[in-house]
Amino acid sequence: MAYSVPTLLLSSMEQNNKPQEEDRLGALTDDILLSILGSVDLATAARTSALSTRWRSLPWLLPELNLHVRDFLPVPCPDYPLAAALRIFFYSKIPAQHINQAMASLTRAARSFLRTKHSRTVTKMSLEIYLVGNYSHDIGPLVRDAIDNGTVRELDLTIADDKDFRCKRADMLQKARVVDGFFSTYPNVLPCLTRLHLYNLRFAKGDMLHRTLFDCCKQLQHLSLDHCDAGDGSVWQIDAPSSGLRVLELRYSYLKRLEVLCLPKLELLRWEVWLHNETPLHFGSVPCLKELFLLCGADIDHPGFSLSQLLDGATDIHTLTLNFQGEKLWIQPESRQLRAAFSKLKKLSIQGIYVEFDLLWTINLLEAAPTVEIFGVEAFEHPCSVPFWVRVGVQRVQPSWKTPGFTSCSKWQLRELHVASFSPLVGHHMLFVREVMGRAPKLETVLLKENEEPCRKCEAMGALPTPIGGMFPRGKDEQDAIARQLRDKRIVSSSSAAKIVFKSIASTVVF
């Protein structure tokens, strides 16, 4: 039986009275053992010092130090991988008493490791903390001194919060003052930051946000802001020609608009949920921007905005993902207007399309991007997240886009078509796949996927797939019949040699 490295390590710790377990690890070099320790959390790494005399000093020789408050919780956070994916909901599930206990343990570990490692250099430290009680006065000096004496050169910092996105505005202002006070008290932290993740902050002035995050953070490459802004309906302008920021992530923001006037190194921008109906983004100079991810659910009265206008100034994007969360489309019908913005696009993903919506409208986007090599669509059906306006009887509005005439399909570079949450019982799913297969001359693969992560909220409600969404085909005979239908020359306008792949949770079958 094969064991993963962390499993073998934990097994040895639990059975350290068995010589053979020590022998299995003892034969390894220190470099390999340090690599093993680097794959587990710091609490586990520290516990290994009880294995033997040799192991006693190893945790203190790690080149990277990860101090995460979640690793010190007295009760592990339930279902952490799922909660981490939700980001802003994770921290709100932890009782205040557990937070205090975890911060006390983290502080003791930080004091032990940072004061012991003064003779060695930690290339990078990843620190996740709460600024609660007096712990900032304990952690702050330790980090400050570690930076001053050269022990830490790069810092990945997450300042967590115990509330979710429903945090009151007054609390957000207070939290912003606490964070600003921390950075003011320990100013050498900012120039050392390479990654920063903040939650539930409302900066009283936009210039404070800019000064803190760009003017002082010279090494900052990755910035994540969850439920952070400068006031309801505020406009945040970023003009930082000397910034090295490569990744910018925003989630659940009350910003009216983000104007990226100058971020010369920015490669990825990700924005999940904005709360105003106007165009949320404006680009100035972003010569390195290659990937854009936009996710939001729109109300029934959302007028939509022009995607081509939003992308004006960002014409080098090669990966674009739009996710509508099963609600109204928030982009206006366009096709040829997008050609300039899509001129270098290689991967296009349209996600969160309500299961009853026709998919043919998405080909308008494909028509505007003949350079796309991977095109993906995802159907959305979640009884657990039905919008309020639907629950009170308002009907969803089908996309009003006209079906394109396929005037330039001979130039398509499309090689892969991905359809997630595919169901043959949805007629327009089959029609959509046939249309693309019949008109993409270089198509090599059609990947039909089952939703790989069943929604636990839907399962808790007892919600089963409806006749609208149907079930993913599982049996090989059923899949073979569907593949034959998709290749039927009486239906498909031209033959396609593309292989058809059915990928379910349990298996992958190729036809």
Side-chain angles (χ1 to χ4, degrees), residues 461-476:
M461 294 172 56
L464 299 175
T466 68
I468 299 173
M471 298 291 289
F472 185 82
R474 297 186 181 279
K476 190 170 183 179

Side-chain angles (χ1 to χ4, degrees), residues 372-442:
V372 163
E373 297 179 359
I374 301 175
F375 182 43
V377 297
E378 177 200 53
F380 182 100
E381 184 185 21
H382 282 268
C384 69
S385 62
V386 176
F388 170 77
W389 44 271
V390 173
R391 293 198 299 268
V392 298
V394 179
Q395 296 297 314
R396 287 182 169 93
V397 179
Q398 281 273 359
S400 59
W401 299 46
K402 294 181 180 179
T403 303
F406 300 100
T407 57
S408 60
C409 56
S410 62
K411 300 179 181 179
W412 288 6
Q413 301 299 310
L414 187 66
R415 299 184 184 279
E416 296 183 23
L417 172 65
H418 300 177
V419 183
S421 300
F422 171 78
S423 173
L425 298 182
V426 182
H428 59 76
H429 282 198
M430 296 288 287
L431 176 60
F432 168 75
V433 175
R434 288 194 196 106
E435 291 286 352
V436 177
M437 287 181 64
R439 292 168 170 81
K442 297 184 179 181

Side-chain angles (χ1 to χ4, degrees), residues 278-334:
E278 300 181 23
T279 307
L281 274 169
H282 168 75
F283 291 108
S285 177
V286 284
C288 293
L289 185 62
K290 296 294 186 281
E291 185 171 353
L292 179 63
F293 181 101
L294 299 175
L295 177 151
C296 195
D299 292 335
I300 189 66
D301 58 350
H302 195 295
F305 53 80
S306 167
L307 183 61
S308 62
Q309 291 182 10
L310 182 147
L311 294 175
D312 185 30
T315 57
D316 289 327
I317 294 176
H318 67 61
T319 300
L320 176 65
T321 302
L322 309 177
N323 190 317
F324 301 99
Q325 293 191 301
E327 300 183 29
K328 183 180 178 181
L329 304 186
W330 32 258
I331 56 174
Q332 297 171 352
E334 291 182 295

Side-chain angles (χ1 to χ4, degrees), residues 53-230:
T53 302
R54 182 187 177 197
W55 282 82
R56 192 168 299 160
S57 61
L58 285 178
W60 279 260
L61 300 179
L62 288 168
E64 295 188 9
L65 186 59
N66 298 317
L67 286 163
H68 298 157
V69 67
R70 62 178 177 266
D71 296 332
F72 294 89
L73 290 170
V75 178
C77 179
D79 201 13
Y80 174 72
L82 177 63
L86 296 176
R87 307 278 186 173
I88 57 179
F89 302 107
F90 162 57
Y91 297 108
S92 63
K93 297 179 181 294
I94 305 173
Q97 181 182 3
H98 290 180
I99 290 175
N100 282 319
Q101 293 177 22
M103 281 303 301
S105 298
L106 182 146
T107 301
R108 288 193 295 269
R111 184 176 295 112
S112 175
F113 274 81
L114 292 177
R115 288 184 175 176
T116 303
K117 292 179 67 66
H118 66 276
S119 61
R120 289 179 58 88
T121 297
V122 179
T123 305
K124 181 178 180 180
M125 180 168 74
S126 179
L127 180 64
E128 177 192 63
I129 58 174
Y130 289 95
L131 293 182
V132 295
N134 292 318
Y135 293 113
S136 62
H137 301 299
D138 298 324
I139 290 291
L142 291 171
V143 177
R144 176 198 61 201
D145 294 345
I147 294 172
D148 282 344
N149 61 34
T151 301
V152 173
R153 295 179 179 176
E154 299 178 5
L155 178 61
D156 174 348
L157 177 63
T158 297
I159 300 180
D161 189 40
D162 59 348
K163 292 183 174 62
D164 62 15
F165 66 91
R166 289 164 292 192
C167 183
K168 296 180 180 179
R169 298 169 185 173
D171 292 337
M172 293 173 65
L173 285 168
Q174 173 58 25
K175 293 175 187 297
R177 286 192 287 268
V178 171
V179 170
D180 192 58
F182 178 80
F183 289 139
S184 297
T185 304
Y186 309 105
N188 68 340
V189 169
L190 291 173
C192 193
L193 286 175
T194 56
R195 182 167 183 164
L196 179 63
H197 198 160
L198 300 174
Y199 291 80
N200 292 334
L201 304 181
R202 171 159 292 183
F203 292 88
K205 296 181 180 179
D207 58 348
M208 180 192 298
L209 187 64
H210 197 287
R211 184 181 70 251
T212 301
L213 300 180
F214 298 103
D215 296 345
C216 300
C217 301
K218 299 300 184 181
Q219 291 194 87
L220 189 63
Q221 296 186 19
H222 192 141
L223 175 62
S224 297
L225 300 174
D226 283 33
H227 197 211
C228 297
D229 55 53

